Amino acid sequence: MWSVRGEEINYVEVSPSHLQTLYDLLRHGVVSKTITGERDLLYHFISGYVISDAGFFCTITLTEQTAYGLAKYGSDEAKALYLPNFLKREKPWMGATFYTEVQAGSDLGGLETVAQQSGEGKWRLRGIKYFTSNVGLADAAIITAKPTPPRPGAKGVATFFAPAYLPNGRPNWKILRLKDKLRTVTVPTGEVELRDTEAHLLGTLDIGIYIALEILTIARIDNSTAGLGLARKALWEAYLYGNERRAFRKRLVEHPLYLRDLVEMEAKLQATLLYTLTAAKTFSDVAYAERPPYSPAYHYARLHTHIVKNLAAWTSIEITRYSMEVMGGIGFLEEFPMAKIHRDALVTAIWEGTSNIQSLDMAEAFYRKDAGKALLEDLATRINKLRDEEARHKLTAALQNIKDFATEALKDGVELHSKKLLAMLGKAAAATYYQEWAEDSGKQWATALSKIYLYTEVIDK
């Protein structure tokens, strides 16, 4: 808390092995590959599934967001000063995003943090940020604030980049406390007070809210891949346990009911993962080429991210919970990993916007940006090319049901029905992409899993 000079400097300390692992991952390019060369985000997105720890990967996500925002929207001066730090071989910089305030979570228009210009491209920020993950580990942060005089609503939001320490070595913000969370303790989350925090404007004042949300889109995809990584670990634990545990003179995996549970969860996980990676690739292809005002291609990519963020979070929660259940009492004990994995999965439905927020953002892209038409047309084209007649027939019916529901939703009010539409789109799209992949692969097990997902998640039989 205190320096030798008696100054309050509040910092966070983690175990050396934890910190070293983060540096090792950063040296492997999970951030640097996205801001150099071809600027391909897919390598980063996939790493979330491989790392498969929502808390631990949160640090990587926040670092990616910070580096991405600076690389794409930072001034030449800010990039020259700070971007090389994210590319260092030894102790590369880590990042954070300071968006949320006590009175302003998903509603960024309610921000009260203010920004005062203090020179050419330089600003000073004042306010309190309520959820600041990676606080204490971050060497820099992306921060939202309203330039004075503040304008009402989201259009008044600007986005800034700020280093954690000033050139004289003093903190650029004050850490107030750390949060006591249900889990994801592998990333420190706290509260921060901005006291004339020195910052650099990203982009221009008139597009600040769009920059903030674009940066947030990266985290939504990361949230999906990391959550599905948790589901994979949980399902693997359930299989390994069932392969050895005996009940009623047989191993659990030899009981049809236990095996059915595993297979249905496997189908759900694989179909959701394939759709998530498809959405990640779609966004990666347009991310660096697009700036506000965005093209239809960007809104189409964004529509996918809202759908998969919701679908992957629910899939992660369901699979980790049920994997815990099929292991019985062993799954509920803290000395085994299932309790931690499930608690970590729970936050994936909250981070980067709850299902209600994803529903509203999806509806905006679906109806107002006309991305829904593009998605439905793409799915129809893919379905019509399927060789499996039964799957083609069932998916065609499901797609028509979605079209009818989307039209009916306009009568009662889109918001009221948006969450159901979000879920319907997610499962139909996942089933379509997975059926298409299964047919292309020619593998019998893939075909079987695609049918299982279709009949357990899309249609009732």
Side-chain angles (χ1 to χ4, degrees):
M1 183 172 182
W2 304 99
S3 75
V4 293
R5 300 187 185 93
E7 299 168 317
E8 188 176 356
I9 59 171
N10 299 350
Y11 68 96
V12 176
E13 189 169 352
V14 299
S15 73
S17 61
H18 180 109
L19 199 58
Q20 187 58 50
T21 303
L22 288 170
Y23 286 139
D24 289 343
L25 286 168
L26 291 171
R27 275 196 292 272
H28 276 87
V30 293
V31 169
S32 62
K33 284 180 181 289
T34 70
I35 56 176
T36 57
E38 297 181 3
R39 293 184 167 182
D40 185 354
L41 290 164
L42 198 57
Y43 180 88
H44 167 79
F45 290 141
I46 291 173
S47 72
Y49 177 72
V50 177
I51 294 169
S52 63
D53 184 292
F56 197 89
F57 187 60
C58 182
T59 295
I60 304 298
T61 294
L62 293 163
T63 302
E64 170 61 35
Q65 290 178 285
T66 306
Y68 174 91
L70 177 63
K72 184 172 178 180
Y73 291 106
S75 66
D76 291 340
E77 178 190 4
K79 286 190 285 189
L81 277 172
Y82 301 113
L83 199 56
N85 293 309
F86 292 94
L87 304 174
K88 293 190 300 184
R89 291 291 300 171
E90 295 298 322
K91 296 184 178 181
W93 270 23
M94 290 184 276
T97 54
F98 298 169
Y99 286 14
T100 302
E101 299 177 11
V102 173
Q103 77 294 333
S106 299
D107 181 11
L108 288 177
L111 293 180
E112 294 180 356
T113 295
V114 296
Q116 183 78 46
Q117 193 161 14
S118 60
E120 185 67 28
K122 303 287 181 64
W123 295 76
R124 292 185 181 274
L125 313 180
R126 293 186 299 276
I128 294 179
K129 295 296 183 176
Y130 190 64
F131 280 110
T132 56
S133 288
N134 212 38
V135 65
L137 299 185
D139 300 284
I142 301 292
I143 306 175
T144 52
K146 288 193 172 184
T148 54
R151 293 182 295 158
K155 292 294 181 68
V157 173
T159 303
F160 300 86
F161 172 92
Y165 291 91
L166 300 172
N168 62 11
R170 295 188 176 184
N172 201 16
W173 52 71
K174 178 183 177 182
I175 303 172
L176 299 177
R177 73 179 182 107
L178 291 180
K179 304 284 194 182
D180 186 11
K181 299 176 291 182
L182 179 65
R183 206 53 180 181
T184 64
V185 294
T186 43
V187 60
T189 300
E191 297 171 13
V192 161
E193 183 178 2
L194 308 172
R195 295 179 170 181
D196 285 327
T197 295
E198 295 184 12
H200 298 261
L201 178 68
L202 295 182
T204 57
L205 294 178
D206 59 320
I207 61 170
I209 186 63
Y210 301 108
I211 294 174
L213 293 176
E214 180 183 329
I215 291 170
L216 186 64
T217 300
I218 292 173
R220 285 171 170 168
I221 298 173
D222 279 0
N223 189 86
S224 304
T225 57
L228 294 175
L230 291 171
R232 168 55 66 206
K233 286 204 295 191
L235 188 52
W236 187 237
E237 290 286 345
Y239 168 74
L240 291 175
Y241 178 77
N243 200 44
E244 294 189 12
R245 174 72 172 181
R246 302 186 70 86
F248 307 107
R249 297 182 298 280
K250 291 192 296 186
R251 293 178 303 149
L252 292 184
V253 293
E254 294 174 320
H255 289 276
L257 204 52
Y258 193 93
L259 191 59
R260 176 173 181 159
D261 287 336
L262 296 182
V263 170
E264 288 184 354
M265 286 191 285
E266 180 68 29
K268 181 184 294 188
L269 176 54
Q270 287 205 22
T272 306
L273 178 61
L274 180 62
Y275 182 25
T276 297
L277 295 179
T278 300
K281 178 68 165 60
T282 303
F283 182 78
S284 179
D285 288 344
V286 303
Y288 271 104
E290 294 278 348
R291 288 173 178 263
Y294 302 110
S295 73
Y298 179 86
H299 292 300
Y300 177 69
R302 180 168 67 84
L303 174 63
H304 280 295
T305 65
H306 299 310
I307 298 171
V308 300
K309 194 277 183 184
N310 185 71
L311 181 67
W314 285 3
T315 297
S316 178
I317 293 169
E318 290 167 6
I319 289 178
T320 57
R321 188 207 66 78
Y322 198 60
S323 294
M324 179 191 296
E325 179 183 329
V326 298
M327 288 177 65
I330 291 291
F332 203 65
L333 297 180
E334 290 287 1
E335 61 196 274
F336 299 108
M338 297 302 290
K340 175 197 179 298
I341 292 173
H342 180 55
R343 282 199 301 269
D344 281 359
L346 290 173
V347 80
T348 63
I350 299 172
W351 274 353
E352 329 310 342
T354 63
S355 57
N356 282 350
I357 293 300
Q358 301 308 320
S359 300
L360 297 176
D361 286 350
M362 175 280 301
E364 188 264 346
F366 187 94
Y367 291 102
R368 292 183 59 190
K369 302 301 182 183
D370 216 22
K373 179 181 179 182
L375 175 58
L376 295 177
E377 288 177 352
D378 176 63
L379 292 177
T381 299
R382 293 174 184 273
I383 291 170
N384 289 334
K385 292 180 181 179
L386 295 176
R387 295 188 297 273
D388 187 304
E389 184 177 352
E390 182 182 15
R392 188 170 65 249
H393 173 73
K394 298 296 184 184
L395 285 170
T396 297
L399 190 62
Q400 186 58 52
N401 190 32
I402 290 174
K403 292 178 181 179
D404 294 341
F405 184 80
T407 301
E408 286 295 314
L410 291 169
K411 298 178 181 179
D412 297 331
V414 169
E415 180 177 338
L416 184 64
H417 301 290
S418 59
K419 190 184 293 185
K420 182 176 180 180
L421 178 59
L422 180 70
M424 293 170 70
L425 285 169
K427 292 182 177 182
T432 300
Y433 288 124
Y434 197 66
Q435 178 66 38
E436 182 181 55
W437 175 82
E439 292 186 6
D440 290 343
S441 72
K443 297 175 180 177
Q444 187 175 5
W445 63 264
T447 301
L449 287 178
S450 68
K451 284 289 183 67
I452 290 169
Y453 184 80
L454 178 63
Y455 279 102
T456 57
E457 297 297 320
V458 182
I459 58 178
D460 296 323
K461 183 177 180 181

